[in-house]
Amino acid sequence: MGQILLVRHGQASWGAVDYDVLSPTGEEQAAVLGRFLTALAPELIVHGTMKRQQRTAEIAAEAAGWSAPLSVDERWNEMDHPAILAAHPQQFDGEPDRHQFQAWFEAATDRWTAGDHDHEYDEPYPAFVRRVGAALAEIAGSGTAVVFTSGGPIASATTELLGADVATYGLLAPVVVNTSVTRVVSGRRGLTLVSFNEHAHLQHDRRLLTYR
């Protein structure tokens, strides 16, 4: 029986010129996670092409002392959130604060997942689900694999493994904690979800518990 750990990247840099880099908190989260997983010996370590995913993988792997090389699979990238946001009008003037952005993001994501506007997106929600599912299926049976990805792919994989509907995705995606671990096992029955959004490694310091 193999196991797959789906890890969300550390906190990115909200408000910075380049959002797609880890904040100092994100780097600390990644190191804490790595030290927490030192007993793990993965045969496969994968990350998407986003900088926040790659850097989380690098820091965590070094802190854990893992010897497996890091590999890249773009199918683990987050959905194209700038395009999803652009398709939904904002309800504020100027740059949003965190609360305004979250409300806008959730409304835009609901529109994307609803299925009524699939023709307006380069990657509609069903295509996103298929690419994440294909990436997950490909590493099943690879012993122990650790995947550094984002909240959207983790929520999508979890929803599909539960056999749930799109409403479940909408509930799960906003609550995926930075550097949380979702565990999947692969065996004779196929892929089975064991746990979602584990973050015990952050409980000693509430400052490290972040969602965006």
Side-chain angles (χ1 to χ4, degrees):
M1 180 176 291
Q3 66 171 331
I4 302 167
L5 277 61
L6 303 178
V7 178
R8 189 186 177 197
H9 61 77
Q11 184 188 62
S13 296
W14 169 267
V17 174
D18 185 0
Y19 170 79
D20 191 23
V21 294
L22 294 185
S23 69
T25 296
E27 294 194 352
E28 186 175 354
Q29 290 166 332
V32 169
L33 173 67
R35 292 193 292 270
F36 185 76
L37 295 177
T38 52
L40 196 72
E43 286 84 13
L44 179 66
I45 305 170
V46 184
H47 59 77
T49 64
M50 294 176 165
K51 287 182 284 188
R52 59 189 184 271
Q53 298 169 343
Q54 178 179 348
R55 186 61 183 143
T56 303
E58 292 170 344
I59 294 172
E62 181 177 1
W66 294 336
S67 58
L70 275 60
S71 59
V72 182
D73 185 344
E74 65 181 5
R75 292 175 297 179
W76 289 109
N77 285 357
E78 184 60 283
M79 76 286 212
D80 186 358
H81 76 267
I84 292 170
L85 288 170
H88 187 77
Q90 60 189 48
Q91 304 297 317
F92 50 83
D93 296 323
E95 291 297 315
D97 59 27
R98 287 180 180 270
H99 297 294
Q100 289 172 325
F101 179 85
Q102 188 62 33
W104 180 29
F105 182 82
E106 290 182 11
T109 302
D110 287 345
R111 183 181 190 274
W112 174 61
T113 59
D116 299 326
H117 308 278
D118 285 356
H119 62 284
E120 298 180 23
Y121 300 99
D122 288 339
E123 185 181 47
Y125 178 70
F128 172 72
V129 172
R130 287 193 297 271
R131 76 154 156 97
V132 173
L136 182 63
E138 187 173 295
I139 60 176
S142 299
T144 296
V146 183
V147 178
F148 292 86
T149 180
S150 296
I154 292 170
S156 174
T158 300
T159 298
E160 293 301 296
L161 289 167
L162 290 173
D165 59 17
V166 68
T168 301
Y169 173 87
L171 293 173
L172 298 180
V175 301
V176 183
V177 173
N178 291 116
T179 69
S180 65
V181 177
T182 293
R183 296 177 186 263
V184 179
V185 295
S186 58
R188 288 179 296 177
R189 296 191 302 167
L191 294 174
T192 303
L193 180 71
V194 174
S195 65
F196 168 71
N197 208 28
E198 296 176 21
H199 51 277
H201 57 288
L202 304 176
Q203 295 300 320
H204 72 287
D205 186 347
R206 302 294 291 180
R207 176 182 55 87
L208 297 179
L209 185 60
T210 62
Y211 296 86
R212 185 164 299 284

